[in-house]
Short mmCIF file of all heavy atoms in Angstrom, two decimals:
data_model
loop_
_atom_site.label_atom_id
_atom_site.label_comp_id
_atom_site.label_asym_id
_atom_site.label_seq_id
_atom_site.Cartn_x
_atom_site.Cartn_y
_atom_site.Cartn_z
N PHE A 1591 1.23 -13.46 14.46
CA PHE A 1591 1.54 -11.96 14.80
C PHE A 1591 1.02 -11.09 13.82
O PHE A 1591 1.03 -11.37 12.65
CB PHE A 1591 3.07 -11.86 14.91
CG PHE A 1591 3.68 -11.80 16.28
CD1 PHE A 1591 4.20 -13.05 16.80
CD2 PHE A 1591 3.77 -10.69 17.05
CE1 PHE A 1591 4.79 -13.08 18.01
CE2 PHE A 1591 4.30 -10.69 18.38
CZ PHE A 1591 4.82 -11.95 18.87
N ILE A 1616 -3.63 -14.55 18.75
CA ILE A 1616 -3.20 -13.38 17.91
C ILE A 1616 -2.38 -12.31 18.68
O ILE A 1616 -2.88 -11.91 19.56
CB ILE A 1616 -4.51 -12.83 17.27
CG1 ILE A 1616 -5.36 -13.86 16.53
CG2 ILE A 1616 -4.09 -11.73 16.27
CD1 ILE A 1616 -6.81 -13.40 16.28
N PHE A 1617 -1.18 -12.22 18.30
CA PHE A 1617 -0.32 -11.29 19.05
C PHE A 1617 -0.13 -10.13 18.27
O PHE A 1617 -0.01 -10.04 16.96
CB PHE A 1617 1.06 -11.98 19.38
CG PHE A 1617 0.95 -13.22 19.96
CD1 PHE A 1617 1.92 -14.23 19.81
CD2 PHE A 1617 -0.04 -13.44 21.05
CE1 PHE A 1617 1.92 -15.46 20.55
CE2 PHE A 1617 -0.15 -14.73 21.68
CZ PHE A 1617 0.79 -15.66 21.41
N THR A 1618 0.06 -8.96 18.95
CA THR A 1618 0.46 -7.74 18.27
C THR A 1618 1.32 -6.89 19.17
O THR A 1618 1.64 -7.31 20.29
CB THR A 1618 -0.81 -6.89 17.79
OG1 THR A 1618 -0.41 -5.78 16.92
CG2 THR A 1618 -1.66 -6.31 18.94
N ILE A 1619 1.69 -5.71 18.69
CA ILE A 1619 2.94 -5.05 19.35
C ILE A 1619 2.65 -3.94 20.27
O ILE A 1619 3.55 -3.33 20.99
CB ILE A 1619 3.90 -4.77 18.33
CG1 ILE A 1619 3.43 -3.90 17.29
CG2 ILE A 1619 4.61 -5.92 17.81
CD1 ILE A 1619 4.44 -3.40 16.18
N SER A 1620 1.41 -3.47 20.23
CA SER A 1620 1.03 -2.27 21.07
C SER A 1620 -0.48 -2.31 21.48
O SER A 1620 -1.20 -3.01 20.71
CB SER A 1620 1.48 -0.96 20.41
OG SER A 1620 0.60 -0.72 19.46
N GLU A 1621 -0.79 -1.59 22.47
CA GLU A 1621 -2.26 -1.40 22.84
C GLU A 1621 -3.13 -0.89 21.80
O GLU A 1621 -4.25 -1.28 21.49
CB GLU A 1621 -2.42 -0.76 24.13
CG GLU A 1621 -1.85 -1.30 25.41
CD GLU A 1621 -2.68 -2.72 25.71
OE1 GLU A 1621 -3.76 -2.81 25.27
OE2 GLU A 1621 -2.11 -3.45 26.47
N ILE A 1622 -2.59 0.06 20.98
CA ILE A 1622 -3.22 0.67 19.97
C ILE A 1622 -3.52 -0.31 18.83
O ILE A 1622 -4.61 -0.45 18.25
CB ILE A 1622 -2.52 1.92 19.48
CG1 ILE A 1622 -2.64 3.11 20.41
CG2 ILE A 1622 -3.22 2.49 18.07
CD1 ILE A 1622 -1.94 4.32 20.11
N CYS A 1623 -2.55 -1.13 18.51
CA CYS A 1623 -2.72 -2.21 17.57
C CYS A 1623 -3.71 -3.22 17.97
O CYS A 1623 -4.36 -3.72 17.10
CB CYS A 1623 -1.31 -2.80 17.20
SG CYS A 1623 -0.18 -1.66 16.42
N ALA A 1624 -3.73 -3.59 19.24
CA ALA A 1624 -4.62 -4.48 19.72
C ALA A 1624 -6.02 -3.98 19.71
O ALA A 1624 -6.96 -4.65 19.28
CB ALA A 1624 -4.23 -4.73 21.36
N ALA A 1625 -6.29 -2.74 20.03
CA ALA A 1625 -7.65 -2.19 19.82
C ALA A 1625 -7.99 -2.13 18.42
O ALA A 1625 -9.26 -2.40 18.20
CB ALA A 1625 -7.50 -0.65 20.40
N ARG A 1628 -9.20 -5.66 17.66
CA ARG A 1628 -10.33 -6.00 18.29
C ARG A 1628 -11.62 -5.41 17.48
O ARG A 1628 -12.68 -5.96 17.47
CB ARG A 1628 -10.45 -5.57 19.78
CG ARG A 1628 -9.37 -6.42 20.59
CD ARG A 1628 -9.50 -6.05 22.08
NE ARG A 1628 -8.31 -6.63 22.73
CZ ARG A 1628 -7.35 -5.96 23.31
NH1 ARG A 1628 -7.24 -4.61 23.19
NH2 ARG A 1628 -6.38 -6.63 23.89
N LYS A 1637 -8.52 -13.62 22.16
CA LYS A 1637 -7.26 -14.21 21.51
C LYS A 1637 -6.17 -13.21 21.47
O LYS A 1637 -5.04 -13.54 21.34
CB LYS A 1637 -7.42 -14.94 20.33
CG LYS A 1637 -8.36 -16.15 20.25
CD LYS A 1637 -8.38 -16.78 18.94
CE LYS A 1637 -9.29 -17.89 18.68
NZ LYS A 1637 -9.28 -18.40 17.40
N ILE A 1638 -6.56 -11.93 21.39
CA ILE A 1638 -5.62 -10.86 21.03
C ILE A 1638 -4.77 -10.44 22.32
O ILE A 1638 -5.38 -10.05 23.34
CB ILE A 1638 -6.39 -9.77 20.43
CG1 ILE A 1638 -7.10 -10.19 19.04
CG2 ILE A 1638 -5.28 -8.54 20.12
CD1 ILE A 1638 -8.05 -9.19 18.47
N GLN A 1639 -3.49 -10.52 22.14
CA GLN A 1639 -2.61 -10.10 23.34
C GLN A 1639 -1.40 -9.28 22.77
O GLN A 1639 -1.04 -9.41 21.64
CB GLN A 1639 -1.96 -11.39 23.93
CG GLN A 1639 -2.97 -12.35 24.61
CD GLN A 1639 -2.38 -13.29 25.50
OE1 GLN A 1639 -1.60 -12.91 26.46
NE2 GLN A 1639 -2.81 -14.56 25.41
N VAL A 1640 -0.92 -8.32 23.60
CA VAL A 1640 0.08 -7.45 23.30
C VAL A 1640 1.40 -8.09 23.66
O VAL A 1640 1.61 -8.43 24.96
CB VAL A 1640 -0.01 -6.07 23.89
CG1 VAL A 1640 1.19 -5.23 23.77
CG2 VAL A 1640 -1.32 -5.37 23.41
N ILE A 1641 2.29 -8.34 22.81
CA ILE A 1641 3.76 -8.82 23.05
C ILE A 1641 4.50 -7.67 22.42
O ILE A 1641 4.77 -7.82 21.15
CB ILE A 1641 3.99 -10.14 22.61
CG1 ILE A 1641 2.99 -11.26 23.29
CG2 ILE A 1641 5.43 -10.48 22.86
CD1 ILE A 1641 3.34 -12.63 22.95
N PRO A 1642 5.07 -6.73 23.00
CA PRO A 1642 5.88 -5.63 22.41
C PRO A 1642 7.18 -6.18 21.71
O PRO A 1642 7.64 -7.32 22.14
CB PRO A 1642 6.28 -4.75 23.46
CG PRO A 1642 5.17 -5.00 24.48
CD PRO A 1642 4.85 -6.41 24.47
N ASN A 1643 7.68 -5.43 20.68
CA ASN A 1643 8.90 -6.00 20.14
C ASN A 1643 9.90 -6.00 21.09
O ASN A 1643 9.99 -5.05 22.07
CB ASN A 1643 9.26 -4.97 19.00
CG ASN A 1643 8.46 -5.16 17.79
OD1 ASN A 1643 8.11 -6.30 17.49
ND2 ASN A 1643 8.14 -4.00 17.14
N ARG A 1752 4.51 -0.54 15.88
CA ARG A 1752 5.33 0.04 16.97
C ARG A 1752 6.87 -0.11 16.37
O ARG A 1752 7.24 -1.14 16.19
CB ARG A 1752 5.36 -0.82 18.27
CG ARG A 1752 6.32 -0.19 19.37
CD ARG A 1752 6.28 -1.12 20.61
NE ARG A 1752 7.20 -0.63 21.57
CZ ARG A 1752 7.04 0.13 22.60
NH1 ARG A 1752 5.85 0.62 22.92
NH2 ARG A 1752 8.09 0.55 23.44
N GLN A 1825 8.56 -9.34 29.72
CA GLN A 1825 7.88 -9.77 28.55
C GLN A 1825 8.45 -11.39 28.13
O GLN A 1825 7.55 -12.03 27.54
CB GLN A 1825 8.49 -8.84 27.39
CG GLN A 1825 8.10 -7.39 27.51
CD GLN A 1825 6.48 -7.36 27.53
OE1 GLN A 1825 5.74 -8.15 26.93
NE2 GLN A 1825 5.98 -6.36 28.18
N ASN A 1828 6.24 -13.58 30.00
CA ASN A 1828 4.90 -13.65 29.39
C ASN A 1828 4.97 -14.62 28.13
O ASN A 1828 4.09 -15.36 27.98
CB ASN A 1828 4.41 -12.32 28.99
CG ASN A 1828 2.99 -12.29 28.47
OD1 ASN A 1828 2.08 -13.05 28.97
ND2 ASN A 1828 2.71 -11.47 27.48
N LEU A 1832 2.88 -18.27 27.63
CA LEU A 1832 2.00 -18.48 26.54
C LEU A 1832 2.49 -19.81 25.81
O LEU A 1832 1.72 -20.51 25.29
CB LEU A 1832 1.98 -17.26 25.53
CG LEU A 1832 1.34 -16.03 25.96
CD1 LEU A 1832 1.74 -14.89 25.10
CD2 LEU A 1832 -0.11 -16.27 26.05
#
Side-chain angles (χ1 to χ4, degrees):
F1591 261 95
I1616 303 165
F1617 303 149
T1618 192
I1619 54 178
S1620 74
E1621 291 295 344
I1622 289 175
C1623 292
R1628 292 183 190 111
K1637 296 182 182 178
I1638 298 167
Q1639 297 194 52
V1640 175
I1641 298 182
N1643 287 321
R1752 180 184 174 100
Q1825 293 302 332
N1828 186 39
L1832 291 167

